[in-house]
């Protein structure tokens, strides 16, 4: 079975012996002409036409009223949490199955993540587990804040993450968080091009964030974005990510502690070209998912398909194997045979920085950590 799997993956990537990476970028569009144009213009840094154009293109693509391009996805999350008014000593609900940047951004503000379980189908935050936790462990105080009973700490925000591009059930998450007065910031770093009920991920919450790191569906080297439909937050996001400078022909005045988080124009040149290719990349990845689904149908592994009511970008494709021993055997065999595969992230509440954090029952996340394997998912070119 292991050998059949390796042979199958080699056959779909048409390389009989070379190393097959998990996810490599594809530069098959206007990347080089845009980069040349950017260099010729001398505007390679925080000002220039590509970074403005990229923001406009992102707004069109996602339907968000505001899109603010940032230097990376972690910076976008940091700013989004600042805008959601997360403060020192607050608790911020997120999921244990995520990339560490989600929790790091929470920690940058002196807040602590609080872990609520994921759903086995969506791989993202479970609305029912979230509801159970808020219902049994919190109350609303007279300032309309959600307070964690056992610690008397404020729960200011909730950060669901669209794992591997599979959308979280955002309508339920929004409904629950509204009732409990908790702001929602969606970590949509992995889900550009993924839609839930025909609405782009990252546009349901008060704010959402994207990443264009080298391993994501589209990349500009390093980059990210903040999405919001809120006028005040949209304007403030741009202001805070550009050193909070007040406009003036020659004076340098700043009215907030700002951040040097703007996406450089040279990265945006690449980003504009990649965004033009996004729909064809997703079409390609969805065809790959179909091939995998057919192949794994006759194997003792479960290929994960998009949850209901959603259209996924299939960023990193994944299977579930029987147990942790089987998982390790699968990882060992495939990687030894130059087909790159990887397990899910070690759950966040097990990392030394976050092991003190409040963790609800996270049995589904543990189930997935023990069984999930990501398999090669790059856009196929030949
Ligand atoms: C990639 C990623 C980030 C961080 O994005 P960078 O651009 O690498 O800073 C944040 N959250 C999740 C879930 C990610 O996968």
């Amino acid at each position: 079975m292991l050998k059949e799997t390796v042979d199958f993956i080699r056959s779909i990537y048409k390389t009989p012996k070379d190393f097959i990476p998990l996810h490599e970028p594809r530069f098959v569009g206007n990347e080089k002409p845009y980069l040349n144009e950017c260099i010729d213009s001398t505007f390679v840094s925080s000002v220039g036409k590509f970074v403005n154009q990229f923001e406009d293109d992102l707004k069109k693509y996602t339907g968000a009223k505001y899109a603010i391009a940032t230097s990376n996805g972690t910076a976008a999350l940091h700013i989004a949490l600042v805008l959601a008014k997360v403060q020192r000593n607050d608790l911020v609900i997120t999921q244990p199955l995520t990339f560490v940047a989600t929790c790091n951004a929470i920690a940058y503000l002196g807040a602590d993540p609080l872990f609520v379980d994921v759903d086995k189908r969506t791989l993202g935050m479970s609305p029912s587990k979230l509801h159970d936790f808020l219902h049994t462990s919190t109350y609303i105080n007279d300032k309309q804040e959600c307070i964690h009973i056992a610690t008397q700490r404020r729960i200011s925000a909730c950060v669901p993450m669209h794992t591997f591009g599979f959308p979280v059930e955002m309508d339920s998450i929004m409904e629950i968080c509204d009732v409990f007065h908790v702001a929602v910031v969606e970590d949509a770093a992995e889900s550009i091009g993924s839609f839930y009920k025909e609405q782009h991920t990252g546009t349901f919450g008060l704010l959402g964030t994207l990443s264009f790191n080298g391993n994501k569906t589209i990349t500009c080297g390093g980059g990210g974005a903040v999405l919001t439909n809120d006028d005040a937050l949209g304007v403030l996001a741009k202001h805070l990510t550009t050193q909070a400078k007040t406009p003036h022909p020659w004076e340098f005045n700043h009215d907030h502690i700002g951040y040097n988080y703007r996406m450089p124009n040279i990265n945006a040149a690449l980003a504009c070209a990649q965004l033009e290719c996004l729909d064809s990349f997703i079409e390609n990845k969805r065809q790959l998912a179909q091939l995998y689904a057919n192949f794994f149908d006759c194997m003792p592994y479960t290929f994960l398909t998009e949850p209901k009511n959603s259209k996924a970008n299939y960023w990193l494709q994944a299977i579930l194997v029987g147990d942790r021993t089987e998982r390790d055997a699968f990882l060992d065999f495939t990687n030894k045979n130059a087909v790159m595969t990887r397990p899910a992230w070690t759950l966040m509440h097990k990392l030394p920085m976050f092991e003190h954090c409040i963790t609800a029952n996270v049995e589904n996340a543990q189930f997935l950590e023990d069984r999930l394997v990501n398999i090669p998912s790059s856009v196929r070119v030949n």
Side-chain angles (χ1 to χ4, degrees), residues 246-319:
T246 48
H248 190 280
W250 36 262
E251 264 184 33
F252 272 83
N253 274 315
H254 306 264
D255 59 3
H256 280 85
I257 292 178
Y259 300 84
N260 180 15
Y261 279 178
R262 186 137 183 90
M263 178 187 285
N265 199 46
I266 194 156
N267 296 88
L270 209 47
C272 287
Q274 286 269 289
L275 192 55
E276 291 170 355
C277 299
L278 178 59
D279 281 335
S280 72
F281 285 179
I282 292 175
E283 202 35 58
N284 188 301
K285 289 162 80 69
R286 291 177 66 82
Q287 282 169 15
L288 172 65
Q290 196 55 57
L291 293 174
Y292 275 141
N294 294 342
F295 173 74
F296 286 113
D297 208 26
C298 346
M299 300 287 280
Y301 310 131
T302 308
F303 178 74
L304 297 179
T305 53
E306 64 195 352
K308 65 178 192 307
N309 295 320
S310 69
K311 182 173 183 212
N313 64 7
Y314 281 95
W315 169 50
L316 286 189
Q317 320 226 356
I319 57 170

Side-chain angles (χ1 to χ4, degrees), residues 94-100 102-103 115-119 122-125 160-164 190 342-349 362 364-366 368-370 372:
T94 189
Q95 53 198 62
L97 184 75
T98 186
F99 178 60
V100 70
T102 317
C103 299
F115 299 108
V116 164
D117 206 4
V118 295
D119 183 293
T122 69
L123 314 178
M125 190 176 286
M161 196 281 280
H162 304 284
T163 309
F164 308 139
E190 306 182 354
R342 46 152 269 190
W345 310 276
T346 298
L347 300 179
M348 292 298 114
H349 66 285
V362 292
N364 293 339
Q366 186 59 58
L368 294 168
E369 189 201 59
D370 289 338
L372 191 144

Side-chain angles (χ1 to χ4, degrees), residues 72-74 77 98-99 101-102 161 187 189-190 211-213 216 223:
N72 58 62
T74 311
L77 268 173
T98 186
F99 178 60
T102 317
M161 196 281 280
D187 184 348
E190 306 182 354
S211 166
F212 307 104
N213 191 34
K216 298 298 203 293

